[in-house]
Amino acid sequence: MSGKSGDKRANGRWWMCDAQRVTSESTDPSHAGTVPDIAALAKVVARQRAEMDRLRDQVATSAVLERTKGTLMALTGCTPEAAGEQLLQRAKAGNRTLLEECWITLGALMPSGPGAAQEPRPDHGFPGLAAVPGPTPPRAVPPGAAVPTGRDTSDLDDGFSALGRLGKALVHVATPQDLAGCLLEELAADVDADALLLFRSLPGGGLEMIGHAGIEAALATQWSQIPPLSGIPALDALRSREPRWLEDFERDRRQHLLIGDPPDRWLSRAWLPVPTGDGAEVCIGVLRARNGPFSPQARQLLRAVARLCAGWLRSFGPRSEHSAAASAAAAQPVFDSLPGSAMLLTPLRGPSGDVEDYRIDAATEEAVDVVGRTGRELLGRRILECFPSMAEEAVWHGCLRTLTTGEPFEGEPFAYQEVVDGAVALSTHAMRAARLGGALVVTWVRHDSSDRQEQRLADVQRLGNLGWANWNLVTDEGSWSSQAFLVLNRDPALGPVRLADLPELALPEDAPLLARAVRDVVRTGQQFDVPFRIRTGDEVRHLRMVAEVVADTDDKPAEVHGFVQDLTAQRSAELALVESEQAIVTQHGVLRAERTLAARLQHALLPLPTRPVRLAGLRVEVAYLPAQSGIHVGGDWFSAIELPDGDALFVVGDVAGHGIDAVATMAQLRFTAKGMVITGSSLTGALARLNTLLLHSRDSHGTATMVLARFDPAEHCLMWAQAGHPPPLLVRDGEVRYLQRPLGILLGACSDPHFEEARCDLRPGDRVLLYTDGLVERPPEGIDHGLDRLAAAVAAHHTDEPGSLVRLLTSVLEGERRDDVCVLDIRVPSGPE
């Protein structure tokens, strides 16, 4: 508002209502205004507003044109003159006004991808502009072309007129609610529209009403949010990006969920998606009371209207706001019950984004403007029209600051003269503004007598759970507030306690400290702030007493003023926090001790070789990486031994859970599995017995997965079986694949499992990886992603050099590890080593 003319702010006065008549009054009561002065000022404001509206039309139209030219310049690299000339040529070729062409161009904007060819498109002639689906506007007939016979050309002329009016009207639209009202006003005569709705799609798949016209506020509130249900015509139109024409009410009511109470209030409807870029987020609903189909001309007109609206929605439409109308409808009943003068103001922004005015969306009955309109008569009007004094510099910028920062604003007090029951009364008021969402609540507050101050003091004491207390040292009398009696749990009928007897209310262990503070404040005048406790039945309250001395004219102590506050809730929270912290520290120590013990036990039971080992002619490398998150040790384990007959046994397993129990179960399974295979058990037989061991062992720890593999160097074959474990990975001639898993369920899951063996013939240069799930699992993604990631990493880092396993794990394990990782890297030499 810094650029507003000075005459708009000059002679600014606050306009209030409190009873029957309202007059203007400066801070000097002797210069009270009169009713004729108000009428004259209203005429001046009306003339100034008409001139401002004309200038605002020019500025808004220019802003839309310049925005369109600037966008074309950014997309094509052309000059401003070339962009303007091309817009004029396209408008002439399409038989459109320049303003319509601007809206259509803005609605069709689609950013070009990197490296996209910047060549003209046949649909627009500009690169970066997406094709707009749908038919041409009703009057888009090439110059000189004949109109088809048998068709009334008045429909085309009417469509041209409606689109031309709509193009001009859009420059003044500030909110989706304004857009809905504008569309209904322009379409009511052309397509017999009786109501208009605007819905926007939500990320969750539902709809949100962002604007409406022609329906009641209660119905708008009822349909403000629509879940993603089937049978919603607006949702169908947005998903298909094609209009939905509902022209047979009896059929439509069986197939769709229709808006209306009752639905037969509107017998035909049209739902048109507004194209914006690659998709459609907003849908326009046109509701008609009459039945029957939409004429071809009406359909073409509505499609063209949707294209015009796309430009406004892309350039000026809000991206995430709730319906202003729904908010206003919900607020007005509240304002109807409020006393005094108050209003809900919604900011109206121009094309530049600056606030140019405010719309009155709710008002109390006692709110009156300069011409005598009250309450609901003010709804929808502009604040500068009804209250010119709002243009005053300090007030305007104070409201803007509140709207931006949320900090409440209170203007300077001003004198106000009102006529109540025929008598003139003068009072002092102040204007206050507070932010409510994206709007302002403006109130005019009367500065009255001390009863208001007393109420505020009582509220402060109640909210702060404190009460004031005074003692007269000369008369030895005291006076307490009602809240002080509540805090100290004393019956008001007994009256205040003498200052010297105050320590008797405290617990015996706290009384000496409070008594010393009372003596010092009387003798030396030293202020004190002392905590103490009192007992109230079975409860102990934690209180705080603050007091100071007030001296008389001879500088002698005359009174003691102070307050007592109940801090029980705060103190209880502090004590609970201390206890919780102590419990956490204790538990943390126990868990760390358990981790240390488990880690030592794990290292003793699962020694790791420091370099690759040779088993049955194979080179085997082992890696074990503990989890980085948490303080528990996992149950991942391995075995790689040469059997008495010269074969090699490879085992990798993972016990569910962490801690000492998991380590103990790991050791039990590890040694038992080796012992069974060494003594002649088959791989599947060993798995079946291990399953029985987990089911019936009292010390076992839940379930476990495992893979057993036995390599025969004479046959060069690897026989393997698994129990719910990820499949081994085979690398052969640079190709990476996973072995097909034989049947096998995890150990400890059921009493009668079935296990099968699989055979894999190995060749010189082959590589086999056995691993635990910590290498491939990364919540929340599925394990298939992890398996693909591991295969890709192995293919990229395949080498025969020793120590390559560490580099492979580093590339696969990114970020913090949540689980232990155990890997056996088995290689068949390519030749003699």
Side-chain angles (χ1 to χ4, degrees), residues 715-752:
E715 298 290 336
H716 295 283
C717 73
L718 185 73
M719 300 297 297
W720 67 286
Q722 62 87 27
H725 204 82
L729 184 143
L730 173 66
V731 183
R732 174 174 291 168
D733 298 329
E735 180 183 354
V736 179
R737 66 182 179 88
Y738 289 97
L739 300 182
Q740 185 68 33
R741 293 200 313 171
L743 290 178
I745 191 172
L746 78 163
L747 303 178
C750 68
S751 60
D752 187 22

Side-chain angles (χ1 to χ4, degrees), residues 427-467:
S427 59
T428 303
H429 292 75
M431 194 277 286
R432 295 177 179 176
R435 188 173 69 184
L436 178 63
L440 289 179
V441 176
V442 176
T443 57
W444 284 266
V445 181
R446 180 194 299 268
H447 287 200
D448 280 334
S449 58
S450 59
D451 55 349
R452 183 177 298 273
Q453 298 296 332
E454 292 179 0
Q455 181 60 44
R456 290 177 179 174
L457 179 58
D459 292 340
V460 169
Q461 294 184 80
R462 176 178 52 82
L463 295 175
N465 205 5
L466 56 86

